[in-house]
Amino acid sequence: MQVIKRYPDNEHQTLLETAESYLRESVAPLASEIDSAPEVLREALKGMSVRTLLGLRIPKSWGGLEVSSTTFGYFQQLLARYSGALAFLQMQHQSAGAMIAYSENESLKQQYLPKLAKGQMLVGIGFSQVRRTGNPPVKAIPVDGGYQINGKVPWVTGFSFFQEFIIGAVLPDGREVYGMVPFTPTCQDAGGTITFSKPMALAAMESTNTVSATLTDWFLPEERVVSIAKAGAIHENDQKKLLSAGFLALGCAQAGLDIVEAAAKTKQLDFLYNTFESLHGEFTRCQTAMIQAAQANSQTFQQRLQLRTWAINLAGRCAQAGVTVSSGAANYKHHAAQRVYREALVFTVSGQSTAIMEGTLARLV
């Protein structure tokens, strides 16, 4: 695996080369431990912080790097190639930073953005439940000075890594409220509580400490509100950012290809080289199409959906190829092929909407 010397038409060449050098030298050799041990993952995340790689979506005026969508796509792909757990965990923080950056709450910006950009404070997100139809799992009711929140957040990643997270709740009129809450068990003076489950036993990326959160009569004051959005805004936002998680799947595909390429060099079998060349060619076409789409930002939703599901499908096939060339050794829990295969599972369903589910299945049948 050689360091990429040039990222085509990219204005942040040095940043990406710095990231790749760090990932190859310090993260890749520990990828298995990072996947299963929170303390090793914590050190890997700290390494990103030291290199100022945690504020890529925060404006320069607040101390961030404010990179383009193209640069961020390359960055996400790099991370997923070398460690799915690190890629998934830091994505939560980067997303939180972007949300606060777009907030109209200037006080929150001043309080959080400079620290988030430098990695001095880490923040996660917990609002996937807002996507659900029917009875909202987490509800907010307007009260004097803010909102009272009740319900259960089924997924929040980063317990013990992040100090706070942005929660999403649904108001009686269907609007969405997003606000800052502590990522530690807390009881308010007025009686409101927030509690957390034990980290879930997950098939992949268990080290990211994903938990559920239960809020009972939690008071969210106005000054802690990140934004109030119209009903269904989260679905519109998902459509706008459809390609973002696709780059994670693309990186996972590249990780599978690395395994196939290494096996081809070791076993010196023609069909292994042919398999690698064929899959790598498709990977390059998919990557080129996704980068062009990110740059142009003119494709229709259906066109972007096709690219997203292509990346998902490619990740699954490259991961399976990695398992195949590794033979029985792929059954070992800590084998690279096993880890990448499980990471492909995560990136298949990350940020999944009904449209993505349908598109993913359509490619399978």
Side-chain angles (χ1 to χ4, degrees):
M1 295 183 290
Q2 296 181 346
V3 175
I4 297 174
K5 298 300 182 184
R6 183 172 181 273
Y7 293 83
D9 301 322
N10 199 282
E11 79 280 22
H12 286 95
Q13 175 77 17
T14 302
L15 180 151
L16 291 168
E17 288 181 344
T18 297
E20 183 159 16
S21 293
Y22 168 64
L23 292 167
R24 289 180 70 252
E25 296 168 8
S26 302
V27 172
L30 299 173
S32 179
E33 290 90 337
I34 289 172
D35 182 68
S36 57
E39 62 275 13
V40 183
L41 175 57
R42 194 184 315 279
E43 287 302 310
L45 189 66
K46 186 182 298 182
M48 290 184 62
S49 176
V50 169
R51 292 164 179 80
T52 64
L53 296 173
L54 293 178
L56 271 63
R57 302 178 69 186
I58 294 174
K60 294 178 181 178
S61 58
W62 292 107
L65 295 177
E66 198 176 352
V67 303
S68 67
S69 57
T70 304
T71 295
F72 195 65
Y74 276 124
F75 181 76
Q76 294 294 87
Q77 181 183 321
L78 271 176
L79 280 164
R81 179 183 185 182
Y82 295 109
S83 171
L86 181 60
F88 190 71
L89 183 65
Q90 65 84 39
M91 182 65 169
Q92 317 298 309
H93 176 81
Q94 304 271 17
S95 297
M99 283 191 70
I100 297 173
Y102 281 104
S103 173
E104 295 181 358
N105 189 330
E106 292 298 322
S107 177
L108 275 187
K109 289 183 178 182
Q110 293 175 8
Q111 180 181 354
Y112 285 94
L113 291 182
K115 294 180 180 180
L116 296 185
K118 296 178 182 178
Q120 295 172 343
M121 176 181 286
L122 301 177
V123 175
I125 55 175
F127 48 72
S128 62
Q129 67 280 354
V130 179
R131 294 187 178 96
R132 299 187 181 184
T133 57
N135 189 31
V138 181
K139 301 177 182 179
I141 299 174
V143 295
D144 289 342
Y147 302 87
Q148 188 179 72
I149 300 179
N150 284 279
K152 183 176 181 178
V153 182
W155 302 91
V156 196
T157 294
F159 187 79
S160 83
F161 291 96
F162 302 148
Q163 288 79 51
E164 299 180 47
F165 73 95
I166 300 176
I167 191 173
V170 179
L171 291 163
D173 61 4
R175 288 182 301 157
E176 305 163 4
V177 57
Y178 298 90
M180 307 298 301
V181 296
F183 207 165
T184 185
T186 305
C187 181
Q188 296 177 315
D189 292 340
T193 61
I194 179 169
T195 59
F196 299 91
S197 69
K198 293 181 179 180
M200 300 176 187
L202 302 177
M205 307 182 194
E206 188 173 13
S207 61
T208 60
N209 285 355
T210 297
V211 299
S212 63
T214 301
L215 293 91
T216 304
D217 296 332
W218 182 265
F219 176 62
L220 176 69
E222 287 281 1
E223 56 267 24
R224 308 296 291 167
V225 173
V226 176
S227 64
I228 303 289
K230 65 180 181 180
I234 192 170
H235 299 295
E236 292 184 9
N237 192 52
D238 286 344
Q239 291 190 14
K240 292 177 182 177
K241 298 181 178 178
L242 190 60
L243 292 180
S244 182
F247 285 102
L248 295 172
L250 205 58
C252 183
Q254 197 169 14
L257 287 173
D258 288 337
I259 296 170
V260 176
E261 183 180 25
K265 291 178 179 178
T266 299
K267 299 181 180 181
Q268 295 290 306
L269 296 172
D270 288 343
F271 69 86
L272 293 183
Y273 283 107
N274 294 337
T275 297
F276 172 76
E277 291 298 332
S278 178
L279 287 173
H280 187 266
E282 183 180 351
F283 166 83
T284 300
R285 294 192 298 274
C286 184
Q287 180 190 47
T288 300
M290 287 183 61
I291 290 296
Q292 290 176 343
Q295 290 173 330
N297 197 29
S298 60
Q299 279 75 9
T300 65
F301 171 73
Q302 284 300 323
Q303 289 172 323
R304 286 180 282 121
L305 179 62
Q306 286 296 313
L307 291 174
R308 170 74 174 271
T309 57
W310 185 9
I312 290 173
N313 181 268
L314 190 57
R317 288 189 288 123
C318 289
Q320 187 171 13
V323 168
T324 303
V325 303
S326 301
S327 303
N331 283 301
Y332 289 115
K333 180 179 180 180
H334 298 298
H335 192 280
Q338 173 66 225
R339 174 179 53 80
V340 172
Y341 194 65
R342 289 182 281 114
E343 289 172 352
L345 179 157
V346 176
F347 294 133
T348 296
V349 298
S350 295
Q352 186 187 68
S353 64
T354 302
I356 293 174
M357 180 189 292
E358 182 180 10
T360 302
L361 291 175
R363 285 188 175 271
L364 293 177
V365 300

